[in-house]
Amino acid sequence: MTARKKRYSELWKTWEAGDVTNSRRFFFLILVIAGIISIVLFFDWWFHSDHVASLPLFVLLSLITWWGIIRLILIWVNYLGVKKPVSVLAEPGLKVAIFTTSSPGEPLSMFDKTLEACANINYPHTTYLLDDTQDPAFKKVAEKHGAVWLELVGLPGAKAGKVNKALSMIDEDFVLIMDPDHIPFPNFLDEVLGFFKDEKVGFVQVSQAYYNQYRSFTARGAAEQTYTFYGPTMMGMNGYGTSVAIGANCTFRKSALDSIGGHGIGLAEDLITSIRLHAKGWKSVFNPVVVSRGLVPEDFGSFCKQQLKWSRGVFEVLFSELPRLSKSLTMWQRISYLAISTYYLVGVTTFLYVSIPFMYFWGGWLPAKMDFAEFLINGSPIILIALLVYLYVQRWLSHSPSERGLHWRGMVLKFATWPVFFLGAMLAVVNADIPYIPTAKKAVKGLSPYTRPLIFQLVLFILTLGYVIYDRLYIASEGILILTSQRVWGMFAFASVSIIMVIGGIYAAYESRNLEAEEPWENIDLTSIDTSKELK
């Protein structure tokens, strides 16, 4: 067996996050204390009166800088609450439904594999295919695997609309919502149903993992962005009672959904559902176990479309759901939902960071008079400790053998999609709607138009660099050169960090031009799935 095949076979085992011990908590607490000290020292250095060049611009720069640092602190505090639930055996005889939805354009062969995997789930259940394709082949593939076919065409609310209609047509007490691109393991329900012995538990979420991340730079980066979230981040939220339901792999108590009028509808329907359930007093559980694997977008354009949908969607929670339901939430639930619903403001803050060097070179506007070397010296401890924290909490990744690392592709991809996040924020400000479009299940070949802002930023950087070099060689006086040398090249060093990220994003986009579509689910041997649990 080749190394690659061995790594791939390891994906089809049941894995769970490492245990949370007192010694691990203690060492993590030491890291957090060191991090807080480094932030206090940086705060003391930052707010010196002699650092202010333009008060309005300095205030703006401070706001976006310290907004990021506050979010970092919140992440650390969340990790302090890391909790792994104790497994509970499922009671026999529960009435369980599995919902998966189909939409026009989705590949039939994918449903063939997913419905077969659903049929192999050990715990007795009924699988339902909620279909609006108007293609008789989908009915045939459902019947082939013993699933109940429900034709639900023309309902408002996209996926959530179909789910809500189906809820009114069934008599099961528990409903697992399974995205059609996910392959559930036979022991899936065994890992979640036991938690419903607590009658206050409204939903149980398990980790989300992937099997096509090897396909491209984009696929790998998209997967890397989720590793920590579906491990220590969600485990921390579980400890504070703020676990959220994600669009796939979430099992609901039907009476809990009924109590809020059904599944939430919107671009972020899973987040809307979570906040409404928590506001109603229902408890949530996150079990950090890998009992299914699905797909991430393989091409840059599909990834950007997914991120635009999510970025526009979470602002619905910020502007509509959170103000309305805030009083019914606990303090930590308010903090958690506020942090999630403002995550995509990173598009606005990154735009401002990217603009600062160009504002200086083309307009002479300078927000702060800070020596770049001093900035690095004072800011480095925060970056170093943040990196150590990031690496330390990886002991709680849901599948640590394949998920450990610096996840640099994920960071590149996150930065490269700042124009998408910025667009999502602007659409939210003007309350513009965008259609609910399922994420592409196969690679879409071609160069995405979302690459244009990145190319523009790179070209602008090159032109600016050329202009500055020409100005300093042939126009600027020797005195000006001496006085501005450190500031000019410090600004270019600052701008170069973002340009490196942008080049990575352009590479991901250009790779998509020649990315051949394939159906990765065709290579999955369902009989080889290993349900014996592995823990690292």
Side-chain angles (χ1 to χ4, degrees), residues 11 18 50 55 81 114 160 204 228 381-382 391 409 435 494 504 506 519 528:
L11 301 180
D50 57 354
L55 184 58
T114 296
V204 179
T228 303
I382 300 177
L391 294 175
R409 298 175 191 84
F494 181 75
I506 294 173
E519 298 184 344
S528 68

Side-chain angles (χ1 to χ4, degrees), residues 360 472 477-488:
Y360 172 68
R472 297 182 74 80
S477 66
E478 186 175 347
I480 293 295
L481 292 177
I482 294 172
L483 289 173
T484 61
S485 178
Q486 190 177 62
R487 186 180 302 164
V488 165

Side-chain angles (χ1 to χ4, degrees), residues 450-471:
Y450 291 104
T451 317
R452 293 169 188 167
L454 304 181
I455 295 174
F456 175 79
Q457 184 181 344
L458 177 59
V459 170
L460 183 59
F461 175 82
I462 294 171
L463 291 175
T464 302
L465 179 60
Y467 163 75
V468 170
I469 291 174
Y470 175 81
D471 177 72

Side-chain angles (χ1 to χ4, degrees), residues 225-422:
Q225 289 185 8
T226 69
Y227 293 159
T228 303
F229 180 78
Y230 288 112
T233 298
M234 280 282 275
M235 289 174 71
M237 295 166 71
N238 185 61
Y240 291 117
T242 65
S243 300
V244 294
I246 309 300
N249 299 338
C250 191
T251 307
F252 294 93
R253 189 187 297 272
K254 184 174 179 292
S255 60
L257 289 176
D258 291 340
S259 73
I260 61 170
H263 199 285
I265 292 177
L267 294 173
E269 75 274 359
D270 44 5
L271 196 57
I272 292 171
T273 304
S274 299
I275 194 171
R276 290 178 181 176
L277 288 171
H278 281 140
K280 272 288 186 178
W282 291 99
K283 293 164 62 176
S284 57
V285 174
F286 173 68
N287 189 13
V289 59
V290 176
V291 284
S292 78
R293 287 195 178 269
L295 301 176
V296 284
E298 296 181 355
D299 64 278
F300 187 72
S302 296
F303 177 76
C304 288
K305 289 177 182 177
Q306 180 194 68
Q307 296 300 307
L308 178 61
K309 179 178 69 175
W310 290 352
S311 62
R312 176 64 183 92
V314 297
F315 285 113
E316 294 177 19
V317 176
L318 179 64
F319 295 142
S320 301
E321 297 295 321
L322 195 54
R324 183 172 63 88
L325 300 174
S326 181
K327 291 182 180 179
S328 301
L329 301 172
T330 67
M331 180 189 72
W332 278 110
Q333 286 171 347
R334 291 191 202 110
I335 293 173
S336 178
Y337 283 112
L338 180 63
I340 293 172
S341 59
T342 56
Y343 170 81
Y344 288 104
L345 283 175
V346 68
V348 177
T349 58
T350 304
F351 168 73
L352 294 172
Y353 271 124
V354 166
S355 301
I356 287 173
F358 299 112
M359 290 167 58
Y360 172 68
F361 290 125
W362 294 104
W365 299 333
L366 187 68
K369 295 181 292 185
M370 295 178 182
D371 181 83
F372 188 69
E374 282 188 25
F375 174 81
L376 290 178
I377 291 171
N378 287 276
S380 303
I382 300 177
I383 297 172
L384 176 61
I385 294 172
L387 178 60
L388 290 174
V389 166
Y390 191 79
L391 294 175
Y392 186 84
V393 299
Q394 289 186 11
R395 65 196 63 244
W396 296 309
L397 294 173
S398 295
H399 185 207
S400 56
S402 69
E403 296 178 355
R404 291 193 194 102
L406 293 176
H407 304 153
W408 61 273
R409 298 175 191 84
M411 289 187 283
V412 167
L413 211 57
K414 177 181 176 180
F415 190 95
T417 46
W418 74 260
V420 178
F421 302 153
F422 183 84

Side-chain angles (χ1 to χ4, degrees), residues 435-451:
Y436 183 99
I437 302 174
T439 304
K441 305 305 187 292
K442 294 191 288 185
V444 179
K445 193 173 181 179
L447 185 64
S448 168
Y450 291 104
T451 317

